[in-house]
Each structure stands twice: as C-alpha cells, then as structure tokens.
Amino acid sequence: MRQSKLFGKTIKEAAKDEISLNARLLNRGGFVEKLMSGVYSYLPLGLRVLDKIKNIVREEMNATGAMEVLMPTLQPKELWDETGRWEGMKDVMFQFKGRGDSDIGLGCTHEEVITDLVRKRIFSYKELPVSLYQIQDKFRNEPRAKSGLLRGREFWMKDMYSFHTTESDFEKYYDEVKLSYLQLFKRCGLDAKIVEASGGIFTEKFSHEFQVFCETGEDTIHYCRECDFAQNIEICEENVGDKCPKCGGEVFESKGIEVGNIFPLETKYSGAMNACFTDKNGERKPMIMGCYGLGPSRIMGTIVEVSHDDKGIIWPKEVAPFAVHLVALGNDEKVFSSADQLYDKLVSAGMEVLYDDREESAGIKLGDSDLLGIPMRIVISNRTLEKNSAEIKMRAEENAELVELDKLLETIKE
Ligand code: ATP
Ligand code: MG
C-alpha cells in the first residue's frame, strides 16, 4: 500500500478528549477515530490490526474443534425472560421498543440466543459435544468508557459456547480452551495470566479471567511469583505480603487488563430454557455448558498499552498492520525509482508492505514510521544508494543495518 494514498494520516496531537494511552497513540497514528464515548471507527490501518487479531482467534478456536456461527444482535425480550435476565440487564443492555410495541435488546452477550439455537437443533447425546463461537460487535451501556479500545460501548467480542453430556467432558474441553487462549494471547504478543474470579452476571460459580499485568489496568490481582496462584481481589482472601495459600510463597499485587474470561455455566441456561438431550438410556437431561469470551478490540488496545515507547506503538509481528515499512528519504527521482522497484519486488514476494512514497521531510517520515510501529523499517536514501544498499531497522531494536539491495529479500526472509 502506498502511504500517499492511505486514508487516515498521522496527526501531531491526539483528539483532546482522548486520555488513555492506547486511544491517543491509535488516534495519532490514524488507526481509529472516536465517534462518541466508547464508540470507534476503524480506519484502514486499524482494521488490518483488528482483522489480524480476529483471525488468530479464529484459527485457535477452530483448532479446538469449535465451529463459527453468526447470531443476531437484535434480541427479543421474551427469550431473556426465560432466564429472568431481562430486568437485571437493564443497566448494561441497550433496550428499546420495536414495531408493535415489542421489546428488543442489543446483544451484550449471547447465552440465551445460543441456548435457543442449540435446543432447536440438538436432541441426542450422539450430537454432543458441540462448541460454537462468533466474532461480533457487542453493545454494553458502560458507565465509564474513557479507556479507548479497552472499554467500548460498542466493541468486538469473540463469544464461544460449548455443550456437553457430562461434567468430565466439559472439564476436558474447558482446560483445552484455557491452553488455546494462552496460545492466542501469546501470538498477539501478550503475556496473559490465568486468574480466578467471580462468575459475575453469568454464573454463580467461579470463572477464569485472562489478565495482562499492566499499570493502567482496571482490575487488581493478588498472585504468587512461585506458583500459579492468582485471584482477582474481588474474591481473594489473601492480602499483599500474606503467605500464598497454595505453595507458602508470598502474595503480590498487580493491576491487570482482563482480555478474556471463561465460565463453567453448568446447567444454568440449559435448565432454565429446557435445552435437553436424550442420553444412552433414553433419559432427558439438560446440557452442561461453558462459555468463553474475549475481546479482539480490547486486545488491540492492550497491545498498545504494553508495547510502545515514547515515539509510538511497537506492534508484535503477527498483529502488525504491515510486516514492512518501506521509507523513501530524500525526495529525489533516483531514490523514488529505486524505492518503487524495491516495493514491487517485496510485494511480488508476497510481503505486506506499507510504502512511504510521500514527499515529506526525513524527520516527518521517520517520526511517522516510529509512531505507526510496523515491525521492520527499510529506508532507501541517497546515502544508502551510494552503497547500493538499503537500511534495515527493527522497530523494537536500536541498531540499524545496511544490506545490499541484491541480498535484501533473502535477509528479510530470515
Ligand atoms: P469488565 O469486567 O472489564 O467489564 P466483563 O467481565 O464484563 O468485562 P465479559 O462479559 O467477561 O466482560 O466479556 C468477555 C470479554 O469481552 C472480556 O474479557 C473483554 O476482553 C471483552 N470486553 C468486555 N467488555 C468490554 C468492553 N466494554 N469493551 C471492550 N471489550 C470488552
Ligand atoms: Mg469478564
């Protein structure tokens, strides 16, 4: 992509009402634009990042044997009355009147809709287990939506629901999803820790959160550095400095951003909504359910919160909008024609390249390159061309290296 044609130029100052670091950098870089509190447009660069995150999520969920579906955002009150959650959701769910006085809500979570879908389609133990997920924008009337992509009122969620005949089959799958979550966060460049938490509005039981330790996080976690003990303080009985209840080590505290949350639902929804299967003996039983949420847009914001420096964003490889930022410095014919050639060569080799072909000063171009945070920068200038070379620099590293143009492709591929 030629940067001269890119919609969404960088800007010097973030919009005044953006206070969070992720929103400020993403806004300056031309990744997102706020429409109103907690509601964002994704510009071409931002959409590329979001889509990459969604695709990683998709790959990892598919690898657990789950299947992707897409459920409606408009949901009828009657369905929510079956579980008695319509009233309790009033603060969170956008609820309004449709035609003919019908009550409608915008999807803030989909337990009711998926349970309805499954009870209409699955009847026998032979059809279980099944795990279904969707990647969809969700709506929640959040009271504090000042953290950029970390807390949207319209935001992206991957929500997955699994249905099982036995508790042990459920547990096996639940543990598998835990591992796949850790794997997908790692691919997104995030080090997420599994933290025990309450079940919130979903279940009376506990849940497991995936927390990325970060000072700007809203959650507080007590954890042990010697073992895997970690609890959200909303349920933790240990204080900082206490003995770890698991290994006798010490309890520490950290702020965290909740990037994912998974819940054993048992038969809460299947029982209330009569989502039953017939077992081997012909007996009807409610399905045992789990649900597994994570937020692609919050993940995007979290990556920026933990991976940046004073110059801008540092995208991890797998989620970066482009792999290479090719920058032509010097604004003369020779430089542009060499850079054009290199651009064509890289693109033909299947690389994702953003090519800064603008007539701007070196200062502006290099500054923008740091702000955008593409993992590899390749600079072509009169100075590099004197040596028939280009300069390669990784965004996350200090050192730059001159590489001969002939050897560039091999070098990059390493
Ligand atoms: P929080 O406690 O932060 O409000 P939650 O526990 O209500 O989140 P869940 O219902 O567990 O969130 O949603 C699953 C996932 O969806 C979360 O782990 C998070 O990654 C994402 N998510 C939830 N609410 C938001 C939001 N308002 N904006 C962006 N992402 C969100
Ligand atoms: Mg949660």
mmCIF file of all heavy atoms in Angstrom, residues 206-252:
data_model
loop_
_atom_site.group_PDB
_atom_site.id
_atom_site.type_symbol
_atom_site.label_atom_id
_atom_site.label_comp_id
_atom_site.label_asym_id
_atom_site.label_seq_id
_atom_site.Cartn_x
_atom_site.Cartn_y
_atom_site.Cartn_z
ATOM 1 N N PHE A 206 -17.407 -19.832 40.044
ATOM 2 C CA PHE A 206 -16.214 -19.034 39.751
ATOM 3 C C PHE A 206 -16.051 -18.886 38.226
ATOM 4 O O PHE A 206 -16.757 -19.513 37.444
ATOM 5 C CB PHE A 206 -14.984 -19.737 40.310
ATOM 6 C CG PHE A 206 -14.787 -21.085 39.689
ATOM 7 C CD1 PHE A 206 -14.028 -21.223 38.539
ATOM 8 C CD2 PHE A 206 -15.408 -22.219 40.225
ATOM 9 C CE1 PHE A 206 -13.882 -22.460 37.933
ATOM 10 C CE2 PHE A 206 -15.263 -23.459 39.614
ATOM 11 C CZ PHE A 206 -14.509 -23.589 38.469
ATOM 12 N N SER A 207 -15.119 -18.074 37.814
ATOM 13 C CA SER A 207 -14.740 -18.033 36.403
ATOM 14 C C SER A 207 -13.222 -17.872 36.338
ATOM 15 O O SER A 207 -12.573 -17.684 37.374
ATOM 16 C CB SER A 207 -15.431 -16.871 35.686
ATOM 17 O OG SER A 207 -14.812 -15.642 36.017
ATOM 18 N N HIS A 208 -12.685 -17.971 35.148
ATOM 19 C CA HIS A 208 -11.256 -17.726 34.973
ATOM 20 C C HIS A 208 -11.054 -16.549 34.028
ATOM 21 O O HIS A 208 -11.555 -16.558 32.913
ATOM 22 C CB HIS A 208 -10.550 -18.964 34.404
ATOM 23 C CG HIS A 208 -10.469 -20.081 35.389
ATOM 24 N ND1 HIS A 208 -11.353 -21.132 35.401
ATOM 25 C CD2 HIS A 208 -9.633 -20.274 36.429
ATOM 26 C CE1 HIS A 208 -11.049 -21.942 36.410
ATOM 27 N NE2 HIS A 208 -10.020 -21.450 37.043
ATOM 28 N N GLU A 209 -10.332 -15.577 34.541
ATOM 29 C CA GLU A 209 -10.007 -14.425 33.698
ATOM 30 C C GLU A 209 -8.596 -14.587 33.158
ATOM 31 O O GLU A 209 -7.749 -15.216 33.792
ATOM 32 C CB GLU A 209 -10.059 -13.137 34.538
ATOM 33 C CG GLU A 209 -11.443 -12.792 35.021
ATOM 34 C CD GLU A 209 -11.483 -11.568 35.921
ATOM 35 O OE1 GLU A 209 -10.427 -11.179 36.475
ATOM 36 O OE2 GLU A 209 -12.572 -11.009 36.086
ATOM 37 N N PHE A 210 -8.369 -13.983 32.003
ATOM 38 C CA PHE A 210 -7.017 -13.913 31.434
ATOM 39 C C PHE A 210 -6.597 -12.464 31.566
ATOM 40 O O PHE A 210 -7.183 -11.587 30.940
ATOM 41 C CB PHE A 210 -7.031 -14.410 29.983
ATOM 42 C CG PHE A 210 -7.316 -15.885 29.923
ATOM 43 C CD1 PHE A 210 -8.607 -16.359 30.103
ATOM 44 C CD2 PHE A 210 -6.293 -16.796 29.743
ATOM 45 C CE1 PHE A 210 -8.881 -17.724 30.101
ATOM 46 C CE2 PHE A 210 -6.544 -18.157 29.732
ATOM 47 C CZ PHE A 210 -7.842 -18.626 29.914
ATOM 48 N N GLN A 211 -5.633 -12.229 32.438
ATOM 49 C CA GLN A 211 -5.235 -10.863 32.779
ATOM 50 C C GLN A 211 -3.836 -10.570 32.265
ATOM 51 O O GLN A 211 -2.915 -11.367 32.431
ATOM 52 C CB GLN A 211 -5.240 -10.692 34.315
ATOM 53 C CG GLN A 211 -6.622 -10.791 34.956
ATOM 54 C CD GLN A 211 -7.387 -9.464 34.933
ATOM 55 O OE1 GLN A 211 -6.876 -8.434 34.444
ATOM 56 N NE2 GLN A 211 -8.607 -9.483 35.452
ATOM 57 N N VAL A 212 -3.709 -9.413 31.629
ATOM 58 C CA VAL A 212 -2.388 -8.935 31.234
ATOM 59 C C VAL A 212 -1.967 -7.898 32.272
ATOM 60 O O VAL A 212 -2.646 -6.883 32.441
ATOM 61 C CB VAL A 212 -2.426 -8.311 29.821
ATOM 62 C CG1 VAL A 212 -1.095 -7.650 29.490
ATOM 63 C CG2 VAL A 212 -2.775 -9.368 28.788
ATOM 64 N N PHE A 213 -0.912 -8.196 32.997
ATOM 65 C CA PHE A 213 -0.455 -7.277 34.044
ATOM 66 C C PHE A 213 0.002 -5.969 33.412
ATOM 67 O O PHE A 213 0.830 -5.961 32.499
ATOM 68 C CB PHE A 213 0.687 -7.893 34.849
ATOM 69 C CG PHE A 213 0.212 -8.973 35.803
ATOM 70 C CD1 PHE A 213 -1.102 -9.437 35.772
ATOM 71 C CD2 PHE A 213 1.074 -9.509 36.752
ATOM 72 C CE1 PHE A 213 -1.546 -10.422 36.651
ATOM 73 C CE2 PHE A 213 0.641 -10.494 37.635
ATOM 74 C CZ PHE A 213 -0.660 -10.954 37.587
ATOM 75 N N CYS A 214 -0.556 -4.871 33.920
ATOM 76 C CA CYS A 214 -0.288 -3.568 33.317
ATOM 77 C C CYS A 214 -0.804 -2.502 34.268
ATOM 78 O O CYS A 214 -1.916 -2.622 34.789
ATOM 79 C CB CYS A 214 -1.028 -3.501 31.974
ATOM 80 S SG CYS A 214 -0.946 -1.917 31.163
ATOM 81 N N GLU A 215 0.001 -1.467 34.491
ATOM 82 C CA GLU A 215 -0.373 -0.441 35.459
ATOM 83 C C GLU A 215 -1.684 0.254 35.143
ATOM 84 O O GLU A 215 -2.372 0.735 36.035
ATOM 85 C CB GLU A 215 0.723 0.623 35.518
ATOM 86 C CG GLU A 215 1.783 0.332 36.548
ATOM 87 C CD GLU A 215 2.931 1.302 36.410
ATOM 88 O OE1 GLU A 215 2.678 2.477 36.089
ATOM 89 O OE2 GLU A 215 4.084 0.861 36.609
ATOM 90 N N THR A 216 -2.028 0.337 33.864
ATOM 91 C CA THR A 216 -3.239 1.070 33.506
ATOM 92 C C THR A 216 -4.487 0.182 33.558
ATOM 93 O O THR A 216 -5.573 0.638 33.245
ATOM 94 C CB THR A 216 -3.113 1.683 32.094
ATOM 95 O OG1 THR A 216 -2.671 0.669 31.197
ATOM 96 C CG2 THR A 216 -2.142 2.829 32.075
ATOM 97 N N GLY A 217 -4.333 -1.076 33.963
ATOM 98 C CA GLY A 217 -5.485 -1.970 34.045
ATOM 99 C C GLY A 217 -6.462 -1.564 35.138
ATOM 100 O O GLY A 217 -6.071 -0.915 36.116
ATOM 101 N N GLU A 218 -7.727 -1.950 34.969
ATOM 102 C CA GLU A 218 -8.752 -1.593 35.956
ATOM 103 C C GLU A 218 -8.871 -2.635 37.057
ATOM 104 O O GLU A 218 -9.473 -2.392 38.090
ATOM 105 C CB GLU A 218 -10.121 -1.488 35.268
ATOM 106 C CG GLU A 218 -10.297 -0.232 34.466
ATOM 107 C CD GLU A 218 -11.686 -0.166 33.844
ATOM 108 O OE1 GLU A 218 -12.583 -0.919 34.248
ATOM 109 O OE2 GLU A 218 -11.848 0.661 32.934
ATOM 110 N N ASP A 219 -8.375 -3.852 36.800
ATOM 111 C CA ASP A 219 -8.511 -4.927 37.790
ATOM 112 C C ASP A 219 -7.290 -4.985 38.692
ATOM 113 O O ASP A 219 -6.204 -4.560 38.322
ATOM 114 C CB ASP A 219 -8.681 -6.274 37.071
ATOM 115 C CG ASP A 219 -10.048 -6.389 36.422
ATOM 116 O OD1 ASP A 219 -11.056 -6.281 37.148
ATOM 117 O OD2 ASP A 219 -10.103 -6.564 35.193
ATOM 118 N N THR A 220 -7.513 -5.511 39.890
ATOM 119 C CA THR A 220 -6.396 -5.724 40.814
ATOM 120 C C THR A 220 -6.301 -7.214 41.117
ATOM 121 O O THR A 220 -7.313 -7.856 41.423
ATOM 122 C CB THR A 220 -6.614 -4.931 42.113
ATOM 123 O OG1 THR A 220 -6.894 -3.574 41.769
ATOM 124 C CG2 THR A 220 -5.387 -4.986 42.994
ATOM 125 N N ILE A 221 -5.097 -7.732 41.005
ATOM 126 C CA ILE A 221 -4.889 -9.166 41.148
ATOM 127 C C ILE A 221 -3.878 -9.439 42.249
ATOM 128 O O ILE A 221 -2.857 -8.760 42.341
ATOM 129 C CB ILE A 221 -4.376 -9.759 39.805
ATOM 130 C CG1 ILE A 221 -5.475 -9.621 38.754
ATOM 131 C CG2 ILE A 221 -3.995 -11.224 39.943
ATOM 132 C CD1 ILE A 221 -5.110 -8.731 37.645
ATOM 133 N N HIS A 222 -4.190 -10.428 43.070
ATOM 134 C CA HIS A 222 -3.223 -10.924 44.038
ATOM 135 C C HIS A 222 -2.681 -12.240 43.512
ATOM 136 O O HIS A 222 -3.455 -13.099 43.094
ATOM 137 C CB HIS A 222 -3.884 -11.077 45.413
ATOM 138 C CG HIS A 222 -4.078 -9.750 46.099
ATOM 139 N ND1 HIS A 222 -4.733 -9.599 47.297
ATOM 140 C CD2 HIS A 222 -3.688 -8.492 45.730
ATOM 141 C CE1 HIS A 222 -4.736 -8.315 47.648
ATOM 142 N NE2 HIS A 222 -4.118 -7.628 46.701
ATOM 143 N N TYR A 223 -1.372 -12.358 43.520
ATOM 144 C CA TYR A 223 -0.784 -13.545 42.886
ATOM 145 C C TYR A 223 0.524 -13.917 43.557
ATOM 146 O O TYR A 223 1.107 -13.117 44.314
ATOM 147 C CB TYR A 223 -0.550 -13.274 41.395
ATOM 148 C CG TYR A 223 0.567 -12.295 41.128
ATOM 149 C CD1 TYR A 223 1.812 -12.737 40.702
ATOM 150 C CD2 TYR A 223 0.387 -10.930 41.347
ATOM 151 C CE1 TYR A 223 2.853 -11.843 40.473
ATOM 152 C CE2 TYR A 223 1.419 -10.035 41.122
ATOM 153 C CZ TYR A 223 2.644 -10.495 40.693
ATOM 154 O OH TYR A 223 3.678 -9.610 40.482
ATOM 155 N N CYS A 224 0.965 -15.121 43.247
ATOM 156 C CA CYS A 224 2.218 -15.629 43.802
ATOM 157 C C CYS A 224 3.234 -15.725 42.672
ATOM 158 O O CYS A 224 2.884 -16.063 41.547
ATOM 159 C CB CYS A 224 1.970 -17.006 44.409
ATOM 160 S SG CYS A 224 3.462 -17.814 44.995
ATOM 161 N N ARG A 225 4.493 -15.401 42.982
ATOM 162 C CA ARG A 225 5.519 -15.476 41.934
ATOM 163 C C ARG A 225 6.161 -16.862 41.849
ATOM 164 O O ARG A 225 6.892 -17.158 40.918
ATOM 165 C CB ARG A 225 6.598 -14.420 42.165
ATOM 166 C CG ARG A 225 6.061 -13.016 41.881
ATOM 167 C CD ARG A 225 7.104 -11.940 42.145
ATOM 168 N NE ARG A 225 6.505 -10.622 41.965
ATOM 169 C CZ ARG A 225 7.025 -9.490 42.418
ATOM 170 N NH1 ARG A 225 8.160 -9.522 43.077
ATOM 171 N NH2 ARG A 225 6.409 -8.342 42.227
ATOM 172 N N GLU A 226 5.872 -17.684 42.872
ATOM 173 C CA GLU A 226 6.488 -19.024 42.899
ATOM 174 C C GLU A 226 5.602 -20.070 42.229
ATOM 175 O O GLU A 226 6.092 -21.053 41.690
ATOM 176 C CB GLU A 226 6.732 -19.476 44.350
ATOM 177 C CG GLU A 226 7.471 -18.475 45.214
ATOM 178 C CD GLU A 226 8.880 -18.233 44.728
ATOM 179 O OE1 GLU A 226 9.489 -19.180 44.204
ATOM 180 O OE2 GLU A 226 9.352 -17.082 44.835
ATOM 181 N N CYS A 227 4.274 -19.890 42.309
ATOM 182 C CA CYS A 227 3.374 -20.879 41.709
ATOM 183 C C CYS A 227 2.305 -20.152 40.896
ATOM 184 O O CYS A 227 2.386 -18.953 40.698
ATOM 185 C CB CYS A 227 2.745 -21.773 42.785
ATOM 186 S SG CYS A 227 1.489 -20.940 43.781
ATOM 187 N N ASP A 228 1.273 -20.885 40.453
ATOM 188 C CA ASP A 228 0.296 -20.240 39.568
ATOM 189 C C ASP A 228 -0.898 -19.638 40.326
ATOM 190 O O ASP A 228 -1.910 -19.291 39.720
ATOM 191 C CB ASP A 228 -0.181 -21.221 38.487
ATOM 192 C CG ASP A 228 -0.851 -22.444 39.085
ATOM 193 O OD1 ASP A 228 -1.011 -22.490 40.336
ATOM 194 O OD2 ASP A 228 -1.219 -23.349 38.318
ATOM 195 N N PHE A 229 -0.785 -19.489 41.638
ATOM 196 C CA PHE A 229 -1.884 -18.880 42.389
ATOM 197 C C PHE A 229 -2.101 -17.432 41.940
ATOM 198 O O PHE A 229 -1.175 -16.617 41.942
ATOM 199 C CB PHE A 229 -1.585 -18.908 43.903
ATOM 200 C CG PHE A 229 -2.565 -18.104 44.712
ATOM 201 C CD1 PHE A 229 -3.830 -18.598 44.983
ATOM 202 C CD2 PHE A 229 -2.236 -16.826 45.172
ATOM 203 C CE1 PHE A 229 -4.746 -17.845 45.705
ATOM 204 C CE2 PHE A 229 -3.149 -16.064 45.895
ATOM 205 C CZ PHE A 229 -4.408 -16.577 46.158
ATOM 206 N N ALA A 230 -3.340 -17.120 41.533
ATOM 207 C CA ALA A 230 -3.672 -15.747 41.137
ATOM 208 C C ALA A 230 -5.179 -15.575 41.245
ATOM 209 O O ALA A 230 -5.939 -16.371 40.696
ATOM 210 C CB ALA A 230 -3.220 -15.476 39.707
ATOM 211 N N GLN A 231 -5.603 -14.567 41.991
ATOM 212 C CA GLN A 231 -7.039 -14.305 42.138
ATOM 213 C C GLN A 231 -7.324 -12.817 41.985
ATOM 214 O O GLN A 231 -6.543 -11.972 42.428
ATOM 215 C CB GLN A 231 -7.529 -14.766 43.525
ATOM 216 C CG GLN A 231 -7.524 -16.283 43.675
ATOM 217 C CD GLN A 231 -8.130 -16.740 44.997
ATOM 218 O OE1 GLN A 231 -8.153 -15.998 45.976
ATOM 219 N NE2 GLN A 231 -8.617 -17.977 45.007
ATOM 220 N N ASN A 232 -8.475 -12.530 41.385
ATOM 221 C CA ASN A 232 -8.961 -11.152 41.346
ATOM 222 C C ASN A 232 -9.290 -10.767 42.788
ATOM 223 O O ASN A 232 -9.852 -11.580 43.525
ATOM 224 C CB ASN A 232 -10.213 -11.090 40.458
ATOM 225 C CG ASN A 232 -10.559 -9.670 40.076
ATOM 226 O OD1 ASN A 232 -10.670 -8.787 40.925
ATOM 227 N ND2 ASN A 232 -10.722 -9.451 38.781
ATOM 228 N N ILE A 233 -8.958 -9.536 43.211
ATOM 229 C CA ILE A 233 -9.194 -9.196 44.628
ATOM 230 C C ILE A 233 -10.673 -9.232 44.992
ATOM 231 O O ILE A 233 -10.999 -9.300 46.162
ATOM 232 C CB ILE A 233 -8.614 -7.819 45.046
ATOM 233 C CG1 ILE A 233 -9.101 -6.725 44.102
ATOM 234 C CG2 ILE A 233 -7.103 -7.842 45.134
ATOM 235 C CD1 ILE A 233 -9.083 -5.361 44.753
ATOM 236 N N GLU A 234 -11.553 -9.239 43.972
ATOM 237 C CA GLU A 234 -12.990 -9.322 44.299
ATOM 238 C C GLU A 234 -13.327 -10.635 45.018
ATOM 239 O O GLU A 234 -14.338 -10.720 45.703
ATOM 240 C CB GLU A 234 -13.847 -9.157 43.030
ATOM 241 C CG GLU A 234 -13.498 -10.166 41.964
ATOM 242 C CD GLU A 234 -14.294 -10.055 40.663
ATOM 243 O OE1 GLU A 234 -14.672 -8.947 40.287
ATOM 244 O OE2 GLU A 234 -14.507 -11.119 40.050
ATOM 245 N N ILE A 235 -12.504 -11.663 44.859
ATOM 246 C CA ILE A 235 -12.774 -12.911 45.588
ATOM 247 C C ILE A 235 -11.603 -13.348 46.473
ATOM 248 O O ILE A 235 -11.690 -14.349 47.172
ATOM 249 C CB ILE A 235 -13.094 -14.086 44.629
ATOM 250 C CG1 ILE A 235 -11.913 -14.385 43.717
ATOM 251 C CG2 ILE A 235 -14.363 -13.817 43.829
ATOM 252 C CD1 ILE A 235 -11.946 -15.778 43.127
ATOM 253 N N CYS A 236 -10.489 -12.631 46.437
ATOM 254 C CA CYS A 236 -9.280 -13.116 47.110
ATOM 255 C C CYS A 236 -9.310 -12.819 48.609
ATOM 256 O O CYS A 236 -9.618 -11.715 49.027
ATOM 257 C CB CYS A 236 -8.040 -12.465 46.479
ATOM 258 S SG CYS A 236 -6.505 -13.186 47.080
ATOM 259 N N GLU A 237 -8.993 -13.841 49.408
ATOM 260 C CA GLU A 237 -8.982 -13.649 50.864
ATOM 261 C C GLU A 237 -7.599 -13.250 51.369
ATOM 262 O O GLU A 237 -7.454 -12.783 52.492
ATOM 263 C CB GLU A 237 -9.459 -14.928 51.562
ATOM 264 C CG GLU A 237 -10.957 -15.130 51.369
ATOM 265 C CD GLU A 237 -11.448 -16.472 51.900
ATOM 266 O OE1 GLU A 237 -10.630 -17.261 52.420
ATOM 267 O OE2 GLU A 237 -12.665 -16.707 51.765
ATOM 268 N N GLU A 238 -6.577 -13.465 50.549
ATOM 269 C CA GLU A 238 -5.214 -13.151 50.981
ATOM 270 C C GLU A 238 -4.884 -11.689 50.698
ATOM 271 O O GLU A 238 -5.305 -11.135 49.687
ATOM 272 C CB GLU A 238 -4.204 -14.034 50.244
ATOM 273 C CG GLU A 238 -4.061 -15.428 50.817
ATOM 274 C CD GLU A 238 -5.283 -16.296 50.577
ATOM 275 O OE1 GLU A 238 -5.966 -16.069 49.564
ATOM 276 O OE2 GLU A 238 -5.550 -17.170 51.422
ATOM 277 N N ASN A 239 -4.114 -11.087 51.572
ATOM 278 C CA ASN A 239 -3.636 -9.727 51.351
ATOM 279 C C ASN A 239 -2.190 -9.749 50.875
ATOM 280 O O ASN A 239 -1.503 -10.765 50.999
ATOM 281 C CB ASN A 239 -3.725 -8.921 52.655
ATOM 282 C CG ASN A 239 -5.175 -8.701 53.057
ATOM 283 O OD1 ASN A 239 -5.998 -8.288 52.240
ATOM 284 N ND2 ASN A 239 -5.496 -9.018 54.297
ATOM 285 N N VAL A 240 -1.746 -8.599 50.384
ATOM 286 C CA VAL A 240 -0.352 -8.486 49.945
ATOM 287 C C VAL A 240 0.569 -8.810 51.125
ATOM 288 O O VAL A 240 0.333 -8.342 52.234
ATOM 289 C CB VAL A 240 -0.065 -7.051 49.439
ATOM 290 C CG1 VAL A 240 1.406 -6.887 49.088
ATOM 291 C CG2 VAL A 240 -0.943 -6.736 48.241
ATOM 292 N N GLY A 241 1.576 -9.635 50.884
ATOM 293 C CA GLY A 241 2.516 -9.989 51.950
ATOM 294 C C GLY A 241 2.125 -11.261 52.693
ATOM 295 O O GLY A 241 2.938 -11.856 53.384
ATOM 296 N N ASP A 242 0.853 -11.677 52.561
ATOM 297 C CA ASP A 242 0.419 -12.936 53.186
ATOM 298 C C ASP A 242 1.139 -14.113 52.535
ATOM 299 O O ASP A 242 1.728 -13.988 51.466
ATOM 300 C CB ASP A 242 -1.096 -13.143 53.007
ATOM 301 C CG ASP A 242 -1.917 -12.281 53.951
ATOM 302 O OD1 ASP A 242 -1.301 -11.553 54.767
ATOM 303 O OD2 ASP A 242 -3.163 -12.313 53.851
ATOM 304 N N LYS A 243 0.998 -15.262 53.212
ATOM 305 C CA LYS A 243 1.534 -16.489 52.621
ATOM 306 C C LYS A 243 0.636 -16.945 51.484
ATOM 307 O O LYS A 243 -0.588 -16.899 51.596
ATOM 308 C CB LYS A 243 1.548 -17.595 53.682
ATOM 309 C CG LYS A 243 2.867 -17.690 54.405
ATOM 310 C CD LYS A 243 2.996 -19.038 55.079
ATOM 311 C CE LYS A 243 4.417 -19.173 55.593
ATOM 312 N NZ LYS A 243 4.490 -19.963 56.819
ATOM 313 N N CYS A 244 1.242 -17.406 50.391
ATOM 314 C CA CYS A 244 0.456 -17.973 49.298
ATOM 315 C C CYS A 244 -0.249 -19.223 49.802
ATOM 316 O O CYS A 244 0.387 -20.117 50.345
ATOM 317 C CB CYS A 244 1.377 -18.321 48.121
ATOM 318 S SG CYS A 244 0.575 -19.358 46.892
ATOM 319 N N PRO A 245 -1.581 -19.298 49.630
ATOM 320 C CA PRO A 245 -2.338 -20.442 50.159
ATOM 321 C C PRO A 245 -1.991 -21.743 49.444
ATOM 322 O O PRO A 245 -2.311 -22.821 49.926
ATOM 323 C CB PRO A 245 -3.795 -20.053 49.904
ATOM 324 C CG PRO A 245 -3.755 -19.045 48.813
ATOM 325 C CD PRO A 245 -2.453 -18.329 48.945
ATOM 326 N N LYS A 246 -1.319 -21.642 48.314
ATOM 327 C CA LYS A 246 -1.043 -22.835 47.531
ATOM 328 C C LYS A 246 0.348 -23.400 47.806
ATOM 329 O O LYS A 246 0.516 -24.600 47.948
ATOM 330 C CB LYS A 246 -1.164 -22.487 46.045
ATOM 331 C CG LYS A 246 -1.881 -23.533 45.248
ATOM 332 C CD LYS A 246 -2.246 -22.992 43.875
ATOM 333 C CE LYS A 246 -2.510 -24.136 42.920
ATOM 334 N NZ LYS A 246 -2.930 -23.651 41.609
ATOM 335 N N CYS A 247 1.353 -22.509 47.890
ATOM 336 C CA CYS A 247 2.725 -23.023 47.996
ATOM 337 C C CYS A 247 3.501 -22.426 49.168
ATOM 338 O O CYS A 247 4.653 -22.768 49.389
ATOM 339 C CB CYS A 247 3.484 -22.769 46.694
ATOM 340 S SG CYS A 247 4.015 -21.058 46.496
ATOM 341 N N GLY A 248 2.866 -21.513 49.911
ATOM 342 C CA GLY A 248 3.573 -20.928 51.049
ATOM 343 C C GLY A 248 4.476 -19.762 50.692
ATOM 344 O O GLY A 248 5.075 -19.140 51.556
ATOM 345 N N GLY A 249 4.558 -19.444 49.390
ATOM 346 C CA GLY A 249 5.336 -18.268 48.949
ATOM 347 C C GLY A 249 4.651 -16.985 49.408
ATOM 348 O O GLY A 249 3.813 -17.006 50.309
ATOM 349 N N GLU A 250 4.987 -15.884 48.737
ATOM 350 C CA GLU A 250 4.426 -14.605 49.165
ATOM 351 C C GLU A 250 3.383 -14.098 48.165
ATOM 352 O O GLU A 250 3.503 -14.342 46.965
ATOM 353 C CB GLU A 250 5.576 -13.598 49.273
ATOM 354 C CG GLU A 250 5.196 -12.319 49.982
ATOM 355 C CD GLU A 250 6.339 -11.301 49.986
ATOM 356 O OE1 GLU A 250 7.509 -11.716 49.817
ATOM 357 O OE2 GLU A 250 6.052 -10.102 50.112
ATOM 358 N N VAL A 251 2.378 -13.378 48.692
ATOM 359 C CA VAL A 251 1.342 -12.827 47.817
ATOM 360 C C VAL A 251 1.719 -11.402 47.383
ATOM 361 O O VAL A 251 2.018 -10.548 48.218
ATOM 362 C CB VAL A 251 -0.038 -12.829 48.517
ATOM 363 C CG1 VAL A 251 -1.071 -12.065 47.691
ATOM 364 C CG2 VAL A 251 -0.498 -14.261 48.761
ATOM 365 N N PHE A 252 1.712 -11.165 46.064
ATOM 366 C CA PHE A 252 1.999 -9.842 45.498
ATOM 367 C C PHE A 252 0.734 -9.280 44.842
ATOM 368 O O PHE A 252 -0.243 -9.993 44.653
ATOM 369 C CB PHE A 252 3.099 -9.944 44.435
ATOM 370 C CG PHE A 252 4.445 -10.261 45.007
ATOM 371 C CD1 PHE A 252 4.827 -11.579 45.243
ATOM 372 C CD2 PHE A 252 5.334 -9.239 45.320
ATOM 373 C CE1 PHE A 252 6.069 -11.875 45.778
ATOM 374 C CE2 PHE A 252 6.587 -9.527 45.848
ATOM 375 C CZ PHE A 252 6.956 -10.844 46.081
#
